Amino acid sequence: MKKEGKIAKRTISTILLVVFVLMGAISLSVGLQMKHILIERYSDVSISYVKSVADFVKGDTIKKYYTTGKKDAYYYEIENYLNATANATVNSDKAEGLSIKCLYVFVPNEDGFTYIWDAEPGVEPEELLTKYPYSEGAKEQIDKFLNKTVTEDIQYYTDGVDSTPMLTVSVPLYDSSGKVVAIIASDSEVSDINRALNKIIIGVLASIALIMIITMLVYYFATKKLIINPIVKLHEATDKIIDNIESDETVDIDIHTNDEIEMLANSFENMDIKLKEYIRKNEAITAEKERIGAELELATKIQADMLPNIYPAFPERNDFDIFATMNPAKEVGGDFYDFFLIDDSHLAMVIADVSGKGIPAALFMMMSKILIQNAVMGGDSPAEALEAVNRQICSNNREEMFVTVWLGIIDLKSGLLTAANAGHEKPIVKQPDGDFEVLNDRHGFVIGGLDGVKYRNYDIQLKEGAKLFLFTDGVVEATDESDELYGINRTLEILNSLKNERPKGILDGVKKSVDTFVGNAPQFDDLTMLCFEYREMTNEFTVDATVENVGVVVDYIAGKAENLPFTTKDKHHIEIAADEIMCNIANYAYENGTGKATVSVKADSEALIITVKDSGIPYNPLEKEDPDVTLPANERGIGGYGIYIVKKLMDSVTYEHKNGNNILTMKKLFKK
């Protein structure tokens, strides 16, 4: 709902307030001035009466009346004169509103004063020599008369009984020697002062009110014409601008006041034109931003799809586990990671950080990733691959971008990791029974920084259960709101608190720790991590312990040994040993002929280990004495040849009976 007329109401209210304040101030000022003038006028009249009495009374007679207290003809003559003077002021025009209530002559002494004459219209006079004490301050004023420091005194006050305005004037009476022998004073009622003041103030206020009302009306209509009406037009024009915001129609504001309001109206018209131009441009910019946003979203998806992002990455493999994440600082980032199988026994891992951010870094990242993968798949070692990629990038790197790279290839059979570092963060390694520790590896120069750079390989022997943590500087250089870095020490601390977790749990925990540390501070750099766990190559296979399943078990073990570093002869020996053990279990382990056999196969960095377990009759075949193969066949004993062959074909054979199971373990060493 619109609220109208506020300016007019406020203008009238303001004028009325000013009128009331001004009228009050003028009334107070005029009243004080007129009161002062009237008091001066009444004082002059009173003084004239008192001085006329002083001229008429003989001062030499005072001593006689004061000492004897007896009246004579002259005393009564003066008394009549005083009464006549006092009565004359009651209805006299010359008194100008002054009414003498008491006209008296007294002799001052130390503790009060003594009446000589007292004339009070309508009231019996005081007796001769009647004494009264001084009122407050009177003694000091009498002393001034006696010392002749003053010749008259005027006191204006309000009567305490009936609140009547009073005026007391007094003059000294001298004897023939010039000595002050008495004081002549008059008390006059001056009530006309208030009536006069009221008449004057009412007249002044009436005049001011009339002038102010006329001024207010003139000011209001002038304000309405020159200010309010133009503002209303501006308001209507604003509504029209809003209503037609999406059209090309412009607003014409008809205001001609030749002042700032007309300037404001012209500004509104120009604003309307500029606003429509801005809206058209903004619509185009918005459409372009939406297009760019859609392309950035697609670029983000493409970049994410370029990196391995489906987990588990190799569900058919249980000899290792790997997990990686990338959180770009912008829509797309310059960090990247990669991992891929070169063959069944070699895994390549890459983590890199491109200089810069955004689309340029993302394009450079994709190119670098493809070149690195091509070089590795072509058979290059990590150092050779980095040298090849550096040559290709430096040959056409006008933008002078560069990328830091850590590249490693692990032999999944032996756990030997061969790596090269092109200016990247040092890897962090944890062996099975240890903590995560920074590996001080050999650093080379960044890729794309200088043509012809040579890189060097180095080896890390990972044991079964070892873990490798790779990261970009977005982890250690994450900054909180006080500009403190997350740092390598916090990284090691959180890693060691998570060292028993799987790779995904480790990365999730590190990311949560970094986010908690950073808080509300903005992310300035991409945050990329990769964690690899080298696990035992262990597979278990359980079958019914029957002669028919012997071939099944042998084929299973042969498949596990197929890609391991054995000669054809070694692989044949493994199959023979497996066949002998399974035949013994099928034929002799269970009295009723039914039971299970469990075969597990694993490989460490040195050998293939085969464990065969059954819950049959407890029996240690290794306790049987080896047959004497130097004797003729007809002289040799029966039995014992199978286990003898197994011991000869395998590098190690052990037995234990545990938890009700016969457990036979065979080991075949890899060929160096």
Side-chain angles (χ1 to χ4, degrees):
M1 181 182 293
K2 295 183 179 179
K3 296 181 179 179
E4 300 179 348
K6 289 292 185 180
I7 293 179
K9 293 178 181 177
R10 290 172 182 168
T11 301
I12 294 174
S13 300
T14 302
I15 293 174
L16 288 175
L17 178 62
V18 171
V19 168
F20 289 138
V21 172
L22 188 59
M23 289 174 64
I26 292 174
S27 299
L28 180 62
S29 176
V30 171
L32 292 175
Q33 292 185 31
M34 291 304 300
K35 182 177 181 180
H36 180 70
I37 292 171
L38 290 173
I39 289 174
E40 284 187 346
R41 179 176 295 178
Y42 288 139
S43 298
D44 291 342
V45 174
S46 296
I47 288 292
S48 65
Y49 279 112
V50 174
K51 284 185 176 182
S52 66
V53 173
D55 292 338
F56 189 78
V57 176
K58 296 177 182 180
D60 292 334
T61 62
I62 298 301
K63 184 176 181 181
K64 178 180 66 174
Y65 298 129
Y66 181 75
T67 56
T68 64
K70 294 181 179 181
K71 302 178 182 179
D72 55 14
Y74 181 76
Y75 180 88
Y76 290 112
E77 179 184 353
I78 297 302
E79 185 178 61
N80 292 332
Y81 176 77
L82 292 178
N83 285 322
T85 301
N87 289 327
T89 63
V90 175
N91 298 312
S92 174
D93 293 335
K94 293 181 180 181
E96 300 181 353
L98 181 71
S99 177
I100 294 178
K101 295 181 68 177
C102 182
L103 182 60
Y104 50 95
V105 179
F106 64 89
V107 175
N109 47 49
E110 288 298 324
D111 54 354
F113 57 90
T114 302
Y115 275 105
I116 303 300
W117 284 285
D118 176 33
E120 192 170 355
V123 180
E124 288 295 325
E126 296 289 347
E127 289 296 328
L128 175 61
L129 301 183
T130 300
K131 293 184 178 182
Y132 280 93
Y134 289 124
S135 60
E136 183 178 357
K139 181 64 171 62
E140 290 78 5
Q141 190 61 34
I142 295 299
D143 290 339
K144 292 179 182 179
F145 282 130
L146 297 177
N147 296 329
K148 298 182 178 181
T149 57
V150 296
T151 58
E152 60 184 38
D153 179 52
I154 301 172
Q155 299 290 333
Y156 176 78
Y157 59 95
T158 300
D159 189 283
V161 178
D162 56 7
S163 300
T164 303
M166 300 295 294
L167 183 66
T168 297
V169 298
S170 55
V171 297
L173 179 63
Y174 302 96
D175 61 10
S176 57
S177 64
K179 179 181 178 181
V180 176
V181 293
I183 304 297
I184 303 174
S186 69
D187 295 336
S188 304
E189 183 178 316
V190 288
S191 57
D192 285 350
I193 286 180
N194 289 341
R195 289 193 292 271
L197 287 176
N198 290 336
K199 290 180 181 180
I200 293 171
I201 291 173
I202 290 172
V204 170
L205 290 180
S207 300
I208 293 174
L210 180 60
I211 294 172
M212 288 299 179
I213 290 173
I214 295 173
T215 303
M216 181 178 65
L217 293 174
V218 172
Y219 180 77
Y220 170 72
F221 287 111
T223 301
K224 185 174 182 180
K225 178 180 180 181
L226 298 176
I227 298 177
I228 297 175
N229 291 342
I231 289 177
V232 171
K233 287 185 178 181
L234 286 175
H235 170 70
E236 294 171 350
T238 304
D239 288 342
K240 190 173 182 181
I241 290 173
I242 295 172
D243 294 338
N244 299 327
I245 195 72
E246 295 182 356
S247 70
D248 293 331
E249 181 183 354
T250 58
V251 174
D252 182 21
I253 306 175
D254 185 21
I255 294 177
H256 304 285
T257 57
N258 295 321
D259 56 14
E260 288 81 358
I261 295 181
E262 184 176 348
M263 293 170 59
L264 182 60
N266 295 333
S267 297
F268 268 62
E269 292 178 349
N270 293 331
M271 181 191 71
D272 183 33
I273 296 171
K274 296 293 183 182
L275 183 60
K276 286 180 168 54
E277 292 178 357
Y278 171 78
I279 291 173
R280 287 193 294 270
K281 291 179 181 178
N282 190 58
E283 288 174 348
I285 293 172
T286 301
E288 181 66 14
K289 284 184 176 180
E290 290 176 352
R291 183 187 66 79
I292 294 174
E295 292 181 356
L296 281 175
E297 184 178 353
L298 180 60
T300 303
K301 188 175 185 304
I302 291 173
Q303 184 183 40
D305 292 343
M306 284 284 292
L307 305 179
N309 57 77
I310 299 175
Y311 298 97
F314 305 98
E316 74 283 359
R317 303 294 294 256
N318 59 7
D319 51 343
F320 69 92
D321 189 13
I322 193 167
F323 195 83
T325 61
M326 185 188 75
N327 298 97
K330 294 187 176 181
E331 289 82 356
V332 290
D335 286 5
F336 71 91
Y337 65 85
D338 199 7
F339 51 82
F340 51 89
L341 284 169
I342 303 171
D343 53 42
D344 286 344
S345 59
H346 290 86
L347 175 73
M349 293 175 285
V350 184
I351 191 162
D353 185 357
V354 176
S355 61
K357 301 290 179 291
I359 296 294
L363 294 174
F364 198 82
M365 175 273 282
M366 291 183 183
M367 178 184 67
S368 302
K369 176 183 179 297
I370 293 170
L371 291 176
I372 292 171
Q373 186 173 21
N374 289 342
V376 172
M377 293 301 292
D380 288 348
S381 69
E384 292 170 340
L386 295 181
E387 290 172 6
V389 173
N390 185 59
R391 283 195 303 272
Q392 294 175 75
I393 290 178
C394 287
S395 66
N396 190 22
N397 188 17
R398 296 185 182 89
E399 302 302 323
E400 298 183 349
M401 297 184 72
F402 62 87
V403 56
T404 66
V405 181
W406 184 94
L407 170 61
I409 300 174
I410 184 170
D411 185 339
L412 297 171
K413 298 175 183 176
S414 64
L416 183 64
L417 174 65
T418 301
N421 193 329
H424 196 74
E425 301 289 333
K426 298 174 182 178
I428 299 177
V429 179
K430 175 196 173 298
Q431 293 295 357
D433 298 326
D435 290 334
F436 278 100
E437 296 178 351
V438 177
L439 179 66
N440 291 316
D441 63 354
R442 299 172 179 175
H443 268 55
F445 200 56
V446 297
I447 300 294
L450 183 64
D451 195 9
V453 173
K454 297 295 182 181
Y455 298 93
R456 292 185 296 177
N457 291 322
Y458 64 89
D459 294 333
I460 308 172
Q461 181 61 58
L462 298 182
K463 300 178 182 179
E464 294 177 357
K467 292 174 183 175
L468 173 70
F469 179 75
L470 305 173
F471 61 99
T472 60
D473 57 6
V475 176
V476 293
E477 294 181 5
T479 306
D480 66 6
E481 293 175 288
S482 61
D483 290 335
E484 183 179 356
L485 297 179
Y486 187 75
I488 191 65
N489 290 334
R490 286 190 179 88
T491 304
L492 289 172
E493 183 179 348
I494 188 63
L495 284 174
N496 285 315
S497 71
L498 302 166
K499 62 183 179 181
N500 295 324
E501 297 288 335
R502 300 293 292 273
K504 182 180 185 305
I506 290 175
L507 296 196
D508 289 344
V510 174
K511 179 64 167 57
K512 182 179 179 180
S513 176
V514 172
D515 289 344
T516 301
F517 172 80
V518 170
N520 295 324
Q523 180 182 344
F524 288 109
D525 202 357
D526 304 333
L527 194 153
T528 304
M529 299 177 288
L530 183 149
C531 187
F532 170 81
E533 180 182 9
Y534 183 53
R535 299 162 60 188
E536 294 181 344
M537 190 189 74
T538 303
N539 287 285
E540 283 194 352
F541 183 61
T542 301
V543 295
D544 291 330
T546 63
V547 174
E548 291 79 11
N549 283 332
V550 171
V552 175
V553 173
V554 172
D555 289 342
Y556 172 74
I557 295 174
K560 295 299 180 182
E562 178 65 27
N563 294 319
L564 298 177
F566 293 121
T567 65
T568 302
K569 183 179 178 180
D570 289 334
K571 295 176 182 177
H572 185 57
H573 288 171
I574 292 170
E575 293 174 12
I576 293 173
D579 184 273
E580 287 291 339
I581 296 300
M582 282 304 301
C583 284
N584 283 338
I585 295 174
N587 291 319
Y588 306 114
Y590 297 99
E591 289 181 338
N592 57 7
T594 60
K596 299 289 184 179
T598 299
V599 180
S600 65
V601 181
K602 71 176 182 177
D604 58 19
S605 60
E606 298 178 348
L608 176 70
I609 303 168
I610 302 170
T611 301
V612 183
K613 179 173 65 175
D614 68 78
S615 59
I617 301 169
Y619 176 71
N620 182 1
L622 300 181
E623 293 179 347
K624 186 172 180 60
E625 209 176 306
D626 291 341
D628 187 356
V629 294
T630 62
L631 295 175
N634 58 353
E635 296 181 6
R636 301 172 190 170
I638 299 174
Y641 288 98
I643 192 64
Y644 173 75
I645 292 172
V646 170
K647 289 191 289 184
K648 289 297 181 181
L649 296 179
M650 304 300 283
D651 293 304
S652 166
V653 181
T654 60
Y655 169 85
E656 66 174 332
H657 189 270
K658 186 177 181 180
N659 298 327
N661 292 310
N662 296 303
I663 302 172
L664 185 73
T665 302
M666 303 179 291
K667 182 183 290 186
K668 187 68 172 179
L669 298 175
F670 298 136
K671 296 303 180 183
K672 301 297 183 182

